[in-house]
Amino acid sequence: MTDSIPVIAIDGPAASGKGTIAARVAEALGFYYLDSGALYRIATLNALQKGICLDDAEALTVATQKIAPIFKEGRIFLEGQDVTTAIRAEEVSAATSRVAVVPGVRAALFELQKDAAQLPGLVADGRDMGTVVFPDAPLKVFLTATARVRAERRYRQLLERGEEADLAALTADLEERDRRDSKRATAPLKPAEDARDLDTSEMGIEEVVKKVLSWWDEAR
Ligand code: C5P
């Protein structure tokens, strides 16, 4: 039973800052943090490594049902391999939004996400946390920012990590990923009816965290 466990659902498009905000809010409240996108990325990397065709829904579903990722001290392991960095590669990001359209893949990851709800509470980030996985969450937040701002944020992140980046290509990739995530039939990216929208284009991280924490004070 997860109904009595407090959950804050934070959804939004790619690079909207969900991950950073959700992790900070979880830290401030002493709650667990679920990065649901990491599960979709792990399922995708697994499929790529096993040479599964990304159009083969059946094979993707079966392979995803078998994954047993281990989250340990900030690292992610899959079949004994540290995949923490590999799942963030741009190639994996693009492929993930293709794998995430498969209903069987989503069903296979559903229980893993539900199991993350543990006392004293959970902050979950993704695309369908408020609509599908935790529809009873007392606080649902939908974070947005313009594609331009999001691409610039990702661009700076990549440069800081010493990686090469192309702003125009990043913007095009984000827009393509948003389009696929929003248009899919199963669990598309959209705000829950009772979600609170927050456009972070002009906001700093601390300001957004404060806002979410103030909403949480009102909601519980
Ligand atoms: O959040 P992140 O950018 O890591 O997510 C990667 C991809 O995983 C998204 O573009 C989306 O296709 C998929 N995803 C999803 N549902 C979630 C979280 C992520 O479909 N709850």
Side-chain angles (χ1 to χ4, degrees):
M1 271 298 282
T2 55
D3 290 353
S4 55
I5 296 169
V7 174
I8 300 177
I10 302 186
D11 290 304
S16 55
K18 303 177 307 289
T20 308
I21 302 303
R24 293 280 188 99
V25 170
E27 199 187 340
L29 296 171
F31 282 11
Y32 289 97
Y33 163 53
L34 169 67
D35 171 5
S36 65
L39 294 175
Y40 286 91
R41 289 169 179 275
I42 292 165
T44 304
L45 183 71
N46 179 56
L48 291 172
Q49 287 184 339
K50 296 202 158 64
I52 295 170
C53 168
L54 298 189
D55 296 321
D56 187 341
E58 178 62 26
L60 288 171
T61 300
V62 172
T64 305
Q65 285 165 347
K66 291 186 194 145
I67 61 169
I70 293 172
F71 296 80
K72 202 173 156 197
E73 291 161 8
R75 311 294 303 174
I76 305 173
F77 298 88
L78 184 66
E79 296 175 3
Q81 181 199 356
D82 185 338
V83 296
T84 320
T85 310
I87 61 166
R88 304 283 159 200
E90 285 302 315
E91 180 206 350
V92 176
S93 303
T96 301
S97 67
R98 292 177 58 193
V99 171
V101 304
V102 177
V105 167
R106 305 199 72 83
L109 297 179
F110 185 79
E111 287 305 322
L112 286 180
Q113 295 170 79
K114 288 298 253 188
D115 289 348
Q118 309 265 341
L119 284 171
L122 177 73
V123 183
D125 95 58
R127 303 294 185 289
D128 60 345
M129 298 297 97
T131 50
V132 175
V133 182
F134 300 109
D136 299 325
L139 176 62
K140 301 173 186 176
V141 179
F142 196 79
L143 288 186
T144 53
T146 62
R148 181 76 197 180
V149 166
R150 290 185 285 124
E152 280 170 0
R153 286 177 184 163
R154 182 56 55 88
Y155 179 73
R156 278 197 301 274
Q157 261 177 10
L158 289 171
L159 293 188
E160 277 163 22
R161 292 208 303 245
E163 291 176 35
E164 283 185 20
D166 172 342
L167 187 56
L170 281 173
T171 309
D173 282 355
L174 282 183
E175 284 173 341
E176 172 58 17
R177 212 142 58 91
D178 291 349
R179 195 196 56 74
R180 224 183 269 136
D181 289 344
S182 308
K183 297 277 177 275
R184 69 179 173 229
T186 310
L189 165 68
K190 65 168 185 200
E193 272 178 21
D194 50 350
R196 306 187 78 149
D197 288 331
L198 191 58
D199 184 336
T200 69
S201 302
E202 308 285 329
M203 294 173 82
I205 292 169
E206 292 311 325
E207 207 182 338
V208 180
V209 170
K210 259 180 143 170
K211 186 83 210 164
V212 175
L213 288 172
S214 75
W215 281 341
W216 180 241
D217 276 341
E218 287 169 24
R220 71 207 165 106

